[in-house]
Amino acid sequence: MGYVFRLEDAHRMERWAAHEPGRTVLRLERNMLRRLWAPVGPQRVLDVGCGTGMTLQWLSREGHLVTGVEPSWELVRYAQRNLPERIAVHHGFAEDLPFSDNEFDTVTLITTLEFVENPRAALAEACRVARQHVLIGTLNKWSLTGCYRRLEFLWKTSLYRHAAFQSVFSLKRMLEEVLYGEPACRWRTCLLFPLWLTPHMDMVEDHPLFQYQPFGHFLAMRVDLRPLHRPVQEPLMERVVGAGAPGTPRSCWRLRRPSGRPTPMGMPPWKAAPTPSPPGRRDLIKTSALGSLEERACPQ
């Protein structure tokens, strides 16, 4: 389960984001996420670890149909009271999402992986629930600010003493284990300079070319999901090679059983001269929609 935020923790983060440098930092992070994600149109989005709903409100203003899930009952009740009715917030954990497979177009994990107990399980659940993309926003352990965040709890109270920071390569390594292969992903980072300099360096930090480096404090990654099994609907309009005469409906193309006669060198089996079928012979019919072979009696 990891560290569960309290309401005072969430209010402290909101107050920081309402003033400088937090206001500029939040704007830069969202600009980079929007540019990296680049959705074609409105999507069904699940925000994991939504807190009081700051990210939910931003995504809703962008035109998406959003849902949030949060492990703290205190924050769930607060969000349900203060967010519009069109934004649904549920209680649940990142490692065990209470949703069915492919229920959302995109799943977002914005400053969530740092505080979960099992980041790999959280990524696996996000990939299960998402249909197209998983959008990750996390704090980079290779940044100068990340090093400071990991040490500041030595002299003051800090939330980041409970955080496990990630990097580009640690995220890719976990995704390889979850997706059983090299992930199709794109990443960017921002906030390379100390945060107190951000209001003066915002134009540099917001430039896309400046974000092609792995040392920024905020790391964003978009994972493109590829289905392991092709849906039944996709092959309907695809070309089936090597069967049927021109003009024959695809669902009626027949593949005859081999007759034992040799096929001329270089000629495909379906172009060889057909052998007349004896009465009662059964043919194999290939159904293009399902890609399976069925046996049916030939019409006499």
Side-chain angles (χ1 to χ4, degrees), residues 16 20-22 25 29 145 149 191 193-199 217:
W16 183 82
E20 295 294 349
V25 167
E29 292 175 355
T145 306
R149 294 292 192 193
L191 308 177
F193 300 103
L195 296 185
W196 61 271
L197 278 176
T198 304
H217 180 50

Side-chain angles (χ1 to χ4, degrees), residues 40-294:
V40 177
Q43 295 196 355
R44 296 167 300 167
V45 182
L46 173 67
D47 183 35
V48 180
C50 62
T52 55
M54 290 178 58
T55 303
L56 290 175
Q57 291 178 340
W58 169 59
L59 292 172
S60 180
R61 290 193 298 268
E62 295 284 318
H64 304 289
L65 181 62
V66 296
T67 303
V69 61
E70 168 61 41
S72 169
W73 274 112
E74 186 180 20
L75 294 182
V76 169
R77 289 190 289 266
Y78 180 87
Q80 290 174 344
R81 288 195 305 266
N82 293 275
L83 293 178
E85 293 184 0
R86 66 179 180 274
I87 300 177
V89 179
H90 303 274
H91 179 263
F93 300 94
E95 298 92 339
D96 187 18
L97 295 176
F99 304 101
S100 59
D101 298 353
N102 305 324
E103 188 168 343
F104 299 91
D105 298 318
T106 300
V107 174
T108 62
L109 296 153
I110 310 300
T111 60
T112 300
L113 285 180
E114 302 94 319
F115 299 98
V116 299
E117 183 178 359
N118 191 339
R120 184 186 179 278
L123 285 175
E125 278 292 280
C127 293
R128 177 185 67 84
V129 172
R131 189 173 65 90
Q132 295 180 2
H133 307 293
V134 173
L135 189 63
I136 304 169
T138 184
L139 303 181
N140 188 1
K141 68 179 180 181
W142 285 4
S143 66
L144 294 176
T145 306
C147 296
Y148 173 79
R149 294 292 192 193
R150 292 198 300 271
L151 295 175
E152 68 177 355
F153 71 88
L154 296 175
W155 58 85
K156 70 174 183 178
T157 304
S158 174
L159 286 174
Y160 298 103
R161 67 179 303 174
H162 309 285
F165 287 33
Q166 303 295 333
S167 67
V168 175
F169 296 102
S170 64
L171 285 179
K172 282 188 174 182
R173 187 164 52 250
M174 285 190 292
L175 288 169
E176 285 180 2
E177 298 174 359
V178 168
L179 300 176
Y180 303 102
E182 184 177 357
C185 61
R186 299 171 55 195
W187 59 269
R188 302 287 185 273
T189 69
C190 64
L191 308 177
L192 180 64
F193 300 103
L195 296 185
W196 61 271
L197 278 176
T198 304
H200 310 286
M201 304 294 293
D202 58 338
M203 293 185 63
V204 177
E205 291 278 11
D206 199 32
H207 198 281
L209 294 179
F210 192 75
Q211 297 170 354
Y212 284 90
Q213 42 81 24
F215 302 108
H217 180 50
F218 185 75
L219 165 63
M221 180 177 289
R222 188 192 78 182
V223 184
D224 300 328
L225 301 178
R226 295 169 292 189
L228 297 178
H229 302 284
R230 299 179 64 182
V232 175
Q233 294 87 352
E234 287 187 5
L236 288 176
M237 302 305 296
E238 290 189 0
R239 179 171 175 264
V240 178
V241 180
T248 306
R250 295 182 179 183
S251 60
C252 299
W253 283 352
R254 296 164 183 256
L255 295 178
R256 298 186 182 276
R257 287 177 175 175
S259 61
R261 299 173 57 184
T263 301
M265 184 65 66
M267 180 180 294
W270 54 84
K271 290 190 177 180
T275 304
S277 302
R281 180 176 176 178
R282 303 174 70 87
D283 286 347
L284 289 177
I285 299 177
K286 182 173 183 180
T287 306
S288 63
L290 300 178
S292 59
L293 294 177
E294 301 178 3

Side-chain angles (χ1 to χ4, degrees), residues 4-21:
V4 178
F5 274 50
R6 299 170 296 176
L7 186 59
E8 56 201 57
D9 298 331
H11 284 330
R12 189 181 304 119
M13 296 184 67
E14 289 180 349
R15 289 193 297 269
W16 183 82
H19 303 87
E20 295 294 349

